[in-house]
Amino acid sequence: MTSLICGSLAYDTIMSFEGRFAEALLADQLHKINVAFLVPAMRREFGGCAGNIAYNLRLLGGDPLIMATVGQDSTPYLERLALQGITTRCVRGIEDAWTAQAFITTDADSNQITAFHPGAMTFSHLNKVAQAGPVKLAIVAPDGRDGMLQHARDCVALEVPFVFDPGQGLPMFSGAELRDFIALATYVAVNDYEAELLTERTGLSLTQIATQVDALVVTRGENGAEIHVGGEQLDIPPVPVEKVIDPTGCGDAFRAGMLFGLTHGLDWPTIGRLASLMGSIKIVHQGGQNHTDSRADIEERFMAAFGYRF
């Protein structure tokens, strides 16, 4: 039941701007931006798409196997993964690089501006999917450009079904490359903004993309998600929360729910609802990996939200 998670391990420096970006950025002056945001609150978190997905999948009782590259400053992260029972045998250290670093500023409307230093992530192509051994499912999440291309091809060569999750890495690829990813992938998962960019770059509509994969998943934040599968669109409701604390890592939590559901043979409505629940659990906590709900807690929350057990 192992899920191979190809993606980044990163340290996130997260800052909170108490105003709104829309009020600080002038539409007619974007060609000469020179702004500074006062961020009274700042913290450093363990992050990266692979780390966040693996963390959430482990909470569910899944078996995540991370494939990533880290730098000379990675010891605290590797020790944390070991304490969580997440194997690091497919995590490669790069001696003369830093672990990837994200600097994220969030405003009062939960909009985010991120600066990202890829560091060791650039060498992700040195990892080969064959090194992972038998896996049931993989996800190709944001990582080094060459690594993402290679891992997708490796999965196909080894007949490993995989989720293509371009995330923030989507702008790195041309339309032709994105069309190739879609042709190779078993599933595609994007948020609503990425969906627009994906259709623009590939020239394909969401309906056309959906016909090329087993399922196309589009998350829509507070409006839930939609799953295009079998020629139909399933609308997945959001799970309401009392207060949004931090959206960082919500998409990764959602994808962990997807991976769990797919590897355990759940139906698509249940997969979508579990994924939506995982995002709601994350969003009321700071950082991508600070919520500690147990499998039993998640099952009870699912029952309360949807009236049945997964």
Side-chain angles (χ1 to χ4, degrees), residues 193-261:
Y193 173 78
E194 294 156 2
E196 290 187 19
L197 186 56
L198 186 61
T199 58
E200 178 185 310
R201 291 215 167 184
T202 61
L204 301 172
S205 67
L206 291 181
T207 299
Q208 290 172 319
I209 294 171
T211 62
Q212 297 187 47
V213 293
D214 288 2
L216 166 65
V217 179
V218 181
T219 60
R220 298 195 176 279
E222 63 183 12
N223 295 315
E226 60 190 46
I227 300 175
H228 301 260
V229 59
E232 298 181 353
Q233 177 179 315
L234 303 177
D235 293 318
I236 305 299
V239 178
V241 298
E242 290 187 6
K243 184 179 180 181
V244 172
I245 301 298
D246 180 11
T248 306
C250 284
D252 299 326
F254 186 101
R255 281 142 184 77
M258 275 186 62
L259 293 178
F260 181 89

Side-chain angles (χ1 to χ4, degrees), residues 89-107:
R89 64 180 175 84
C90 289
V91 177
R92 179 188 293 264
I94 306 297
E95 296 274 326
D96 57 350
W98 298 104
T99 300
Q101 315 267 334
F103 301 88
I104 305 166
T105 303
T106 303
D107 76 356

Side-chain angles (χ1 to χ4, degrees), residues 12-305:
D12 293 339
T13 299
I14 302 174
M15 297 159 282
S16 297
F17 172 51
E18 295 178 348
R20 292 175 170 81
F21 295 142
E23 297 170 354
L25 299 173
L26 303 177
D28 61 344
Q29 299 294 314
L30 295 181
H31 62 290
K32 53 178 183 179
I33 292 177
N34 184 5
V35 297
F37 300 109
L38 178 65
V39 288
M42 184 180 79
R43 66 190 189 281
R44 196 176 191 221
E45 304 282 2
F46 296 99
C49 293
N52 293 342
I53 294 170
Y55 180 85
N56 284 278
L57 186 54
R58 193 63 174 165
L59 291 181
L60 280 163
D63 182 23
L65 175 60
I66 296 173
M67 179 165 281
T69 43
V70 294
Q72 57 191 303
D73 55 343
S74 63
T75 298
Y77 209 148
L78 297 180
E79 290 177 345
R80 173 181 170 80
L81 292 172
L83 287 173
Q84 294 165 345
I86 300 174
T87 180
T88 58
R89 64 180 175 84
C90 289
V91 177
R92 179 188 293 264
I94 306 297
E95 296 274 326
D96 57 350
W98 298 104
T99 300
Q101 315 267 334
F103 301 88
I104 305 166
T105 303
T106 303
D107 76 356
D109 292 329
S110 295
N111 297 307
Q112 293 182 321
I113 295 176
T114 300
F116 188 75
H117 170 66
M121 196 180 79
T122 306
F123 300 91
S124 61
H125 60 280
L126 297 178
N127 288 326
K128 314 297 181 186
V129 172
Q131 298 166 347
V135 296
K136 187 166 186 178
L137 178 68
I139 183 168
V140 177
D143 205 350
R145 182 182 187 280
D146 293 343
M148 291 180 70
L149 290 165
Q150 178 182 289
H151 295 152
R153 292 192 293 263
D154 286 353
C155 284
V156 172
L158 294 166
E159 299 183 343
V160 175
F162 76 94
V163 179
F164 176 47
D165 171 25
Q168 300 97 325
L170 197 154
M172 296 189 296
F173 302 104
S174 68
E177 288 169 331
L178 290 168
R179 287 192 294 272
D180 286 343
F181 271 120
I182 293 166
L184 295 173
T186 316
Y187 314 98
V188 172
V190 289
N191 65 27
D192 47 3
Y193 173 78
E194 294 156 2
E196 290 187 19
L197 186 56
L198 186 61
T199 58
E200 178 185 310
R201 291 215 167 184
T202 61
L204 301 172
S205 67
L206 291 181
T207 299
Q208 290 172 319
I209 294 171
T211 62
Q212 297 187 47
V213 293
D214 288 2
L216 166 65
V217 179
V218 181
T219 60
R220 298 195 176 279
E222 63 183 12
N223 295 315
E226 60 190 46
I227 300 175
H228 301 260
V229 59
E232 298 181 353
Q233 177 179 315
L234 303 177
D235 293 318
I236 305 299
V239 178
V241 298
E242 290 187 6
K243 184 179 180 181
V244 172
I245 301 298
D246 180 11
T248 306
C250 284
D252 299 326
F254 186 101
R255 281 142 184 77
M258 275 186 62
L259 293 178
F260 181 89
L262 287 167
T263 55
H264 287 75
L266 303 183
D267 59 66
W268 275 108
T270 301
I271 291 172
R273 289 166 183 161
L274 177 59
S276 182
L277 175 66
M278 293 303 294
S280 74
I281 290 172
K282 207 284 354 140
I283 205 168
V284 298
H285 295 82
Q286 296 279 12
Q289 301 178 26
N290 291 324
H291 47 298
T292 58
D293 300 67
S294 67
R295 167 65 183 270
D297 294 333
I298 296 168
E299 289 180 343
E300 290 304 313
R301 285 173 176 260
F302 187 94
M303 179 68 183

